[in-house]
Amino acid sequence: MKQKTKRHTDPALAQARREQVLAAAADCFRRKGYHGAGMAEISKTAGMSAGHIYNYFTNKEAIIESIIERDMEEMFSIFQEFEDMPGDLVTILLDGLDHAVERHTDIDQGALNLEMLAEAARNNKVASLLHATDVLARERMRQLLVGERGPLKDIADDELTGRIDVMFAMIGGLLLRKMLNPDLDQQAVLKALRPTMKTLLLPFA
Amino acid sequence: MKQKTKRHTDPALAQARREQVLAAAADCFRRKGYHGAGMAEISKTAGMSAGHIYNYFTNKEAIIESIIERDMEEMFSIFQEFEDMPGDLVTILLDGLDHAVERHTDIDQGALNLEMLAEAARNNKVASLLHATDVLARERMRQLLVGERGPLKDIADDELTGRIDVMFAMIGGLLLRKMLNPDLDQQAVLKALRPTMKTLLLPFA
Amino acid sequence: MKQKTKRHTDPALAQARREQVLAAAADCFRRKGYHGAGMAEISKTAGMSAGHIYNYFTNKEAIIESIIERDMEEMFSIFQEFEDMPGDLVTILLDGLDHAVERHTDIDQGALNLEMLAEAARNNKVASLLHATDVLARERMRQLLVGERGPLKDIADDELTGRIDVMFAMIGGLLLRKMLNPDLDQQAVLKALRPTMKTLLLPFA
Amino acid sequence: MKQKTKRHTDPALAQARREQVLAAAADCFRRKGYHGAGMAEISKTAGMSAGHIYNYFTNKEAIIESIIERDMEEMFSIFQEFEDMPGDLVTILLDGLDHAVERHTDIDQGALNLEMLAEAARNNKVASLLHATDVLARERMRQLLVGERGPLKDIADDELTGRIDVMFAMIGGLLLRKMLNPDLDQQAVLKALRPTMKTLLLPFA
DNA sequence: GATGAATGAGAGTTCATTCAT
DNA sequence: GATGAATGAACTCTCATTCAT
């Protein structure tokens, strides 16, 4: 429901317009929040009239939904990268922490993510999308960890579940840290993060 | 700006009224979010007229600001408890995880906290309050860890900084986990969380 | 659903405000039509802010519904008058034609009635109200005609049905006549109308 | 104003296009009403782009005006039929009632007619067209009734005027009846309608 | 001739805030 | 102190109309 089914004669143009809107909306949501940003402001940022946006999105909600879906796809590509990398998985994941910290301490993206989470608390569609995304992310992670190359092939299922949630909490929590502590020292965080993640990636003693 | 400077003839009554409003507002924000809850609903929940609220708070923003201040005080009392407990600090902190998980997976409180964080991205007053609270919380934690009974008396300053941020990220991140995965298994999380926190509380090998 | 259930401290004031709005809206609908008249215009005509109207009516639709209900009540009082009058019913009804013509050639009321009928074609709630009103009106008329004093006690049921519909068509149709022929001569109409109605009120030869 | 004065290179094609639009618009207005039907829907129904319609009609109003003109012509052809029929005029007119009832209880056409009448209350052009049509219709009827074969050659002029208005009210009113009472029994109506119309077509006793 | 992308004014509605009582 | 009637600006969304192609 997040994209108008309306046919456009020039699909490339339509896609370009859609992306214009998504970029503008993401920007506005970051700065003003979902409710704080009006369609007027979004349209001005997107460089098109407010009315025209409705040729590409059924309503404001559909815009944030599309943004979420876009993010979802991006997340999958990250998992794919991990899966495609050769070598020891623990090493790969620990090395990946640098990027993860980078990504989760981008204050603009963080603000946007918070908006989406806050919106999820009162908008079922948004909540469903986020839940679905999370289910898939956990599943991908699980398969990574118990797969052929996985370091946790032998642990109990619910222990694995707990570990994954704690990993995600830790990484996702960085976003909150950056909001609450803008001076967050990434290098210091990484130094503490690596041994901690290692604990989670290997069987407990 | 969060409290009217207006003089009230009966300061005790005024204080009671303020707390009535704060409790009602927190309740409404939890259920509907900051933007979703209207002054009408808050006033009904508080058992007083909408207009009357403005005798105690200059506007809606001032209400959420006051709620944050109240929460801040609550957090300090938790640190105080840790400090007052006798025995081994690592044990105390690890035992405290049960309560921490409990507190951070309360979905209503989580929704409210997310609202406040999201609001911080665009409301300077809210941001300042949260930042100040966080500075104090980190400081309390630091003193706990490097204090007389502390397990990390000997590590470098910036390493300690990193560890604290990761601990806070991990605990705070649980809030996000619960929002994204409402079926979160608290016991499984605790089982993974304890060894992980222990890694952070003791010098790395 | 046409009246807000919201409690008002001063019901008399509330009622007065409601009537202010209804009068203003009826006026605007007459002049501009239901769709042509905006809430802004109605509120200006009513002498209150647009927002305030929503304290008394849930939405614009509820306003036209209330107008219809008001008209419905007026219609019943007219039937009541007929029923309360002593004397020969045929004479009473024929004498009532003067008022009927008067009422149905009021061009403002006519315009408003047409709006309501046109709106009924696309608004189910309005249609239901009008249908319900019409059912009741036909029933009242039927009881008048077959009642103790009625002139058509002995005719078949479906003949009676047909007669009532033709009577109502004839009277209601005057409204259309006045719209199409503003110079309509009321006296001339009455001269033709009386014998015609008499034909309908007495058994056919 | 109802037709663009713009010159078209192929007038026949232009005329065809105009009729395409009129047919589509009439269809849409019937189903959704004048205000309920958008130019987008009309253009889709007409099988041409919205913009192109503006090459044939200055605006939406011009479309309904043209529809009225078309209907006007249709009405005249009905009178012509009566005039061309041989035999007793009273019989012809009474026999014509079947068709009249049929035509005036078509609920879609009725909705369209109501739209036009309602529109007349606020659109002078529409009002003028309808008035002019009505003048002509009354004149045709008058000539039928007082003509060579007419049954009312000897009655006073204003009595005739009144009778015609009542006849038209009765027939036109059926449209209202059908809107208010969709279950209207056509046969029962006809049984009551014939004697009533006969009363109007013959000198009063 | 024909398209439909694009506009922008204006629609109905909500809600934080004010103020007379 | 307390009320809630009243305001009005801002919101999302629609749609007749224009115009570059």
Side-chain angles (χ1 to χ4, degrees):
Chain A
M1 199 62 62
K2 73 251 88 160
Q3 255 186 220
K4 267 239 158 108
T5 52
K6 193 193 215 200
R7 285 281 174 272
H8 295 274
T9 21
D10 182 346
L13 176 59
Q15 191 54 30
R17 290 278 176 273
R18 255 191 280 270
E19 269 154 31
Q20 245 176 292
V21 174
L22 290 180
D27 194 38
C28 294
F29 291 163
R30 263 191 280 276
R31 279 183 287 108
K32 304 280 197 76
Y34 178 65
H35 292 280
M39 290 302 291
E41 185 179 0
I42 293 172
S43 72
K44 215 173 65 178
T45 307
M48 77 182 69
S49 73
H52 197 32
I53 291 182
Y54 287 84
N55 283 327
Y56 302 107
F57 297 91
T58 46
N59 54 31
K60 199 186 175 187
E61 230 186 310
I63 297 176
I64 205 172
E65 287 165 12
S66 273
I67 292 177
I68 293 173
E69 295 193 336
R70 218 184 37 173
D71 287 359
M72 194 163 73
E73 285 160 22
E74 196 186 327
M75 183 209 66
F76 286 142
S77 79
I78 291 174
F79 273 107
Q80 198 59 52
E81 278 179 37
F82 285 138
E83 286 166 18
D84 293 345
M85 278 180 183
D88 177 57
L89 201 53
V90 172
T91 310
I92 290 172
L93 288 171
L94 290 178
D95 286 352
L97 284 178
D98 292 70
H99 278 110
V101 170
E102 196 75 47
R103 280 177 49 82
H104 285 82
T105 52
D106 176 317
I107 205 142
D108 285 338
Q109 187 59 36
L112 183 51
N113 285 336
L114 279 177
E115 277 304 319
M116 298 186 317
L117 278 159
E119 188 58 16
R122 72 191 84 98
N123 179 329
N124 271 330
K125 188 77 198 297
V126 168
S128 301
L129 273 171
L130 290 179
H131 291 171
T133 307
D134 196 65
V135 166
L136 294 172
R138 275 179 277 137
E139 189 49 37
R140 287 295 271 269
M141 189 51 131
R142 167 184 303 267
Q143 275 163 18
L144 227 45
L145 297 177
V146 301
E148 216 180 331
R149 303 186 295 160
L152 298 173
K153 277 190 282 287
D154 302 325
I155 70 170
D157 219 57
D158 69 336
E159 189 188 321
L160 184 59
T161 296
R163 286 184 186 226
I164 291 173
D165 271 314
V166 172
M167 285 175 211
F168 282 13
M170 194 161 58
I171 300 300
L174 290 175
L175 184 156
L176 303 184
R177 293 314 304 148
K178 183 65 178 181
M179 301 302 288
L180 291 170
N181 176 14
D183 301 326
L184 191 74
D185 179 341
Q186 288 190 29
Q187 291 315 313
V189 163
L190 271 167
K191 262 202 273 198
L193 195 57
R194 268 189 287 255
T196 314
M197 185 61 91
K198 197 169 176 183
T199 304
L200 282 163
L201 286 174
L202 297 176
F204 297 145
Chain B
M1 193 64 65
K2 80 243 83 165
Q3 252 185 225
K4 269 242 157 110
T5 52
K6 194 191 201 187
R7 287 281 174 273
H8 295 275
T9 52
D10 182 344
L13 177 57
Q15 190 53 30
R17 290 278 177 271
R18 255 190 283 271
E19 269 155 30
Q20 247 175 289
V21 174
L22 290 180
D27 194 39
C28 294
F29 291 162
R30 262 190 282 274
R31 280 183 287 109
K32 306 279 196 74
Y34 177 64
H35 294 281
M39 291 299 291
E41 186 181 0
I42 294 171
S43 72
K44 212 175 68 178
T45 308
M48 79 183 68
S49 75
H52 200 32
I53 292 183
Y54 285 83
N55 286 325
Y56 302 110
F57 298 89
T58 49
N59 54 30
K60 204 184 172 189
E61 272 194 338
I63 297 177
I64 205 173
E65 290 165 9
S66 277
I67 290 177
I68 293 172
E69 294 188 335
R70 219 186 38 171
D71 284 2
M72 196 162 71
E73 287 158 22
E74 192 187 332
M75 183 209 62
F76 287 141
S77 78
I78 291 174
F79 274 107
Q80 198 60 51
E81 278 179 36
F82 284 137
E83 286 165 18
D84 294 345
M85 277 181 183
D88 177 56
L89 200 53
V90 172
T91 310
I92 290 172
L93 288 171
L94 290 178
D95 287 350
L97 283 178
D98 291 72
H99 278 109
V101 169
E102 197 75 48
R103 280 177 50 81
H104 286 82
T105 54
D106 175 319
I107 205 145
D108 288 336
Q109 187 60 36
L112 181 50
N113 286 337
L114 277 177
E115 283 296 331
M116 298 186 320
L117 278 159
E119 194 62 16
R122 68 194 86 101
N123 176 333
N124 272 329
K125 187 70 198 297
V126 168
S128 302
L129 277 169
L130 292 178
H131 291 170
T133 307
D134 195 64
V135 165
L136 293 172
R138 275 179 277 137
E139 190 49 37
R140 288 294 273 266
M141 190 50 131
R142 169 185 301 268
Q143 275 163 20
L144 226 46
L145 296 177
V146 302
E148 219 180 329
R149 304 185 295 159
L152 296 173
K153 276 191 285 286
D154 302 326
I155 70 168
D157 217 57
D158 69 335
E159 188 187 323
L160 184 59
T161 296
R163 287 186 183 224
I164 292 174
D165 271 314
V166 172
M167 286 178 210
F168 282 14
M170 195 161 57
I171 299 301
L174 289 174
L175 183 154
L176 303 184
R177 293 313 304 147
K178 183 64 178 182
M179 301 302 289
L180 290 170
N181 175 14
D183 302 326
L184 191 74
D185 179 341
Q186 288 190 29
Q187 291 315 311
V189 163
L190 272 168
K191 262 204 272 200
L193 196 57
R194 268 188 288 256
T196 314
M197 186 59 92
K198 197 167 174 184
T199 303
L200 281 163
L201 287 173
L202 297 177
F204 297 143
Chain C
M1 197 60 63
K2 75 250 81 162
Q3 253 187 219
K4 267 240 158 106
T5 52
K6 192 192 215 200
R7 286 281 174 272
H8 294 274
T9 23
D10 183 345
L13 176 59
Q15 191 52 31
R17 290 280 175 272
R18 255 191 280 271
E19 269 155 32
Q20 244 175 292
V21 174
L22 289 180
D27 193 38
C28 294
F29 291 162
R30 263 190 280 276
R31 280 183 287 111
K32 306 278 198 78
Y34 177 66
H35 292 280
M39 291 301 292
E41 186 178 2
I42 293 172
S43 72
K44 215 173 65 179
T45 308
M48 78 183 69
S49 73
H52 197 33
I53 291 181
Y54 287 84
N55 285 326
Y56 302 108
F57 298 91
T58 47
N59 52 31
K60 200 185 174 188
E61 230 186 310
I63 296 177
I64 205 173
E65 287 166 11
S66 272
I67 291 176
I68 292 173
E69 294 193 335
R70 216 185 37 174
D71 287 359
M72 193 164 75
E73 285 159 23
E74 195 186 328
M75 183 208 65
F76 286 141
S77 79
I78 291 174
F79 273 107
Q80 198 59 53
E81 277 178 38
F82 284 139
E83 285 166 19
D84 293 345
M85 278 181 183
D88 177 56
L89 202 52
V90 172
T91 310
I92 289 172
L93 288 171
L94 290 177
D95 286 351
L97 284 179
D98 291 70
H99 279 109
V101 170
E102 196 76 47
R103 281 177 48 80
H104 286 81
T105 52
D106 176 318
I107 205 144
D108 285 338
Q109 187 59 36
L112 183 50
N113 285 336
L114 278 178
E115 277 303 320
M116 298 187 318
L117 277 159
E119 188 58 17
R122 70 190 85 98
N123 178 329
N124 272 328
K125 186 78 198 295
V126 168
S128 300
L129 273 170
L130 291 179
H131 291 170
T133 306
D134 196 63
V135 166
L136 292 172
R138 275 179 277 137
E139 190 49 37
R140 287 294 271 269
M141 188 52 128
R142 170 184 300 268
Q143 274 163 18
L144 226 47
L145 297 176
V146 302
E148 217 180 330
R149 302 186 296 160
L152 297 172
K153 276 190 284 285
D154 302 325
I155 71 170
D157 219 56
D158 69 336
E159 189 188 322
L160 184 59
T161 296
R163 286 186 184 224
I164 292 174
D165 271 314
V166 172
M167 286 177 210
F168 282 14
M170 194 161 56
I171 300 299
L174 290 175
L175 183 155
L176 303 183
R177 293 312 304 146
K178 183 63 178 183
M179 301 302 289
L180 291 170
N181 175 14
D183 301 326
L184 192 75
D185 179 341
Q186 288 191 28
Q187 291 314 312
V189 163
L190 271 167
K191 261 203 274 199
L193 196 56
R194 268 189 287 256
T196 314
M197 185 62 90
K198 197 168 176 183
T199 304
L200 281 163
L201 287 173
L202 297 177
F204 297 144
Chain D
M1 193 67 62
K2 78 245 88 162
Q3 253 185 224
K4 268 242 158 109
T5 51
K6 195 191 201 189
R7 286 282 175 271
H8 295 274
T9 52
D10 181 346
L13 177 56
Q15 190 52 31
R17 289 278 178 271
R18 256 191 283 271
E19 267 154 33
Q20 246 175 292
V21 174
L22 290 181
D27 193 38
C28 293
F29 292 162
R30 262 190 282 275
R31 280 183 287 110
K32 305 277 195 75
Y34 177 65
H35 294 281
M39 291 300 290
E41 186 180 0
I42 293 172
S43 72
K44 211 175 69 178
T45 309
M48 80 182 68
S49 75
H52 200 32
I53 293 182
Y54 286 82
N55 285 325
Y56 303 110
F57 297 91
T58 50
N59 53 30
K60 204 183 172 189
E61 271 193 340
I63 297 177
I64 205 173
E65 289 165 9
S66 277
I67 290 177
I68 292 172
E69 294 187 335
R70 222 187 34 172
D71 284 3
M72 198 162 68
E73 286 158 22
E74 191 187 334
M75 184 209 63
F76 287 140
S77 78
I78 291 174
F79 273 107
Q80 198 59 52
E81 278 179 36
F82 284 137
E83 285 166 19
D84 293 346
M85 278 180 182
D88 177 56
L89 201 52
V90 172
T91 309
I92 290 171
L93 288 171
L94 290 178
D95 287 351
L97 283 178
D98 292 70
H99 279 110
V101 168
E102 197 74 47
R103 281 176 51 81
H104 286 83
T105 54
D106 176 318
I107 205 145
D108 288 334
Q109 187 59 37
L112 181 50
N113 286 336
L114 278 177
E115 283 295 331
M116 298 186 319
L117 277 159
E119 194 60 16
R122 69 194 85 102
N123 177 332
N124 272 329
K125 186 72 199 298
V126 168
S128 302
L129 277 169
L130 292 178
H131 291 171
T133 307
D134 196 65
V135 165
L136 293 172
R138 275 179 276 136
E139 189 49 36
R140 288 294 273 266
M141 189 51 132
R142 169 184 303 266
Q143 274 163 20
L144 226 45
L145 296 177
V146 301
E148 218 181 331
R149 303 186 295 160
L152 295 174
K153 277 189 285 286
D154 302 326
I155 69 169
D157 217 58
D158 68 336
E159 189 188 321
L160 184 58
T161 296
R163 286 186 183 224
I164 292 174
D165 272 313
V166 172
M167 285 177 210
F168 282 15
M170 194 160 57
I171 299 301
L174 289 175
L175 183 155
L176 304 184
R177 293 312 305 148
K178 183 63 178 183
M179 302 300 290
L180 291 169
N181 176 16
D183 302 327
L184 191 74
D185 179 341
Q186 289 190 28
Q187 291 315 312
V189 162
L190 272 167
K191 262 204 273 199
L193 196 57
R194 268 189 287 256
T196 313
M197 186 59 91
K198 196 168 177 184
T199 304
L200 281 163
L201 286 173
L202 298 176
F204 298 143

